[in-house]
Amino acid sequence: MRLQVAEGTITGLIGPNGAGKSTLFALLSNFLKADAGKVRFRGRAIEKLQPYQLAQLGLVRTFQVARSLSRLTVLENMLLGGQQQRGEKFWQVWLHPQAIRRQEQELRDRAFSLLSDVGLAAKAQDYAGSLSGGQRKLLEMARALMAQPQLVLLDEPAAGVNPALIEKICDHIQTWNQQGISFLIIEHNMDVIMSLCDRVWVLAEGKNLVDGPPAQIQQDEQVLAAYLGLELA
Ligand SMILES: Nc1ncnc2c1ncn2[C@@H]1O[C@H](COP(=O)(O)OP(=O)(O)O)[C@@H](O)[C@H]1O
Ligand SMILES: [Mg+2]
């Protein structure tokens, strides 16, 4: 099987529960090691890179269950998403204090700008643990954007989110996409897939079943059979 995400697109990844979608994300983002196969990002083999190195290259992911750190504030969660923080090495702080301070200010500005994009600026100083499930999803997406990524992998961004917020999440994804960020999205909500995606890949039992434009996938008999658990003749 060969799955591709074209640069600049919003690509969907769908399939029945247990198909291996989240596992595929874990492989793409090197949270799991593959037994076989290759993963390339912008022409570069990335199997040996750590997740933080991938983030530095522009590839970040979110999780099916949002992983915000509840004992940190919303702002602190965002700052953790900022990559290439030179301030982490003490000798750099010592040698370049102004550069570090300027960089920290840039990160905070970026954090506030993204938080206001997703309507969470007023909650910047609240503990992430006090957010609703939907707000945590927004925080996780905004935090992923802190890394200034080229490609964001979103695992079920609409799951457990109320319909009004789902619409907002879709709007944000579309806006970020127009700014040049590509997305690969796992989602069970077909309205979300249909309205956002340029192309959809269907996974069933760990294999790629079909791929194509969403309108075509929606009518595909193999896809229907996979979802209904039917044997194909
Ligand atoms: N290619 C594979 N070969 C063997 N087991 C797999 C494979 N892909 C996924 N699994 C296993 O199948 C289960 C469901 O996978 P998961 O990725 O959570 O599915 P999904 O996100 O599509 O619901 C997990 O226990 C996972 O370890
Ligand atoms: Mg999953």
Side-chain angles (χ1 to χ4, degrees), residues 15-24 27 32 64 155-156 186 188 203 205-206:
N17 273 325
K21 304 181 297 296
S22 294
T23 304
L24 181 62
L27 296 175
L32 278 180
Q64 190 166 347
D155 198 346
E156 302 199 23
I186 296 176
H188 285 297
L203 210 61
E205 297 177 5

Side-chain angles (χ1 to χ4, degrees), residues 2-144:
R2 185 188 171 96
L3 187 148
Q4 274 181 314
V5 178
E7 197 166 339
T9 62
I10 303 178
T11 299
L13 180 62
I14 68 169
N17 273 325
K21 304 181 297 296
S22 294
T23 304
L24 181 62
F25 265 22
L27 296 175
L28 295 181
S29 53
N30 286 349
F31 282 83
L32 278 180
K33 283 257 166 288
D35 297 325
K38 287 200 164 69
V39 184
R40 289 187 176 274
F41 179 62
R42 311 184 93 210
R44 180 167 172 175
I46 56 170
E47 294 96 17
K48 295 204 171 68
L49 300 185
Q50 297 292 318
Y52 81 91
Q53 294 172 309
L54 291 176
Q56 287 175 349
L57 281 183
L59 174 62
V60 293
R61 68 172 295 189
T62 68
F63 292 86
Q64 190 166 347
V65 177
R67 288 194 174 180
S68 48
L69 300 169
S70 19
R71 306 287 295 271
L72 295 183
T73 67
V74 167
L75 179 62
E76 286 163 344
N77 268 278
M78 291 294 286
L79 295 176
L80 275 181
Q83 296 299 315
Q84 290 159 330
Q85 296 184 42
R86 296 158 75 205
E88 281 164 8
K89 292 210 178 84
F90 90 93
W91 58 270
Q92 284 176 328
V93 178
W94 190 63
L95 289 173
H96 310 284
Q98 274 126 346
I100 300 301
R101 236 175 285 134
R102 190 167 61 237
Q103 197 190 20
E104 278 174 0
Q105 191 54 49
E106 279 168 13
L107 277 177
R108 292 172 82 86
D109 290 350
R110 182 163 173 78
F112 270 105
S113 151
L114 282 164
L115 285 175
S116 62
D117 282 354
V118 298
L120 287 178
K123 301 206 174 276
Q125 304 303 341
D126 294 3
Y127 284 113
S130 71
L131 300 181
S132 73
Q135 288 171 330
R136 274 173 175 247
K137 293 245 167 186
L138 285 172
L139 171 59
E140 219 198 333
M141 268 185 260
R143 184 175 55 182

Side-chain angles (χ1 to χ4, degrees), residues 159-174:
V161 177
N162 72 58
L165 202 49
I166 289 179
E167 219 168 291
K168 278 196 189 157
I169 287 177
C170 289
D171 289 347
H172 297 316
I173 294 172
Q174 233 148 13

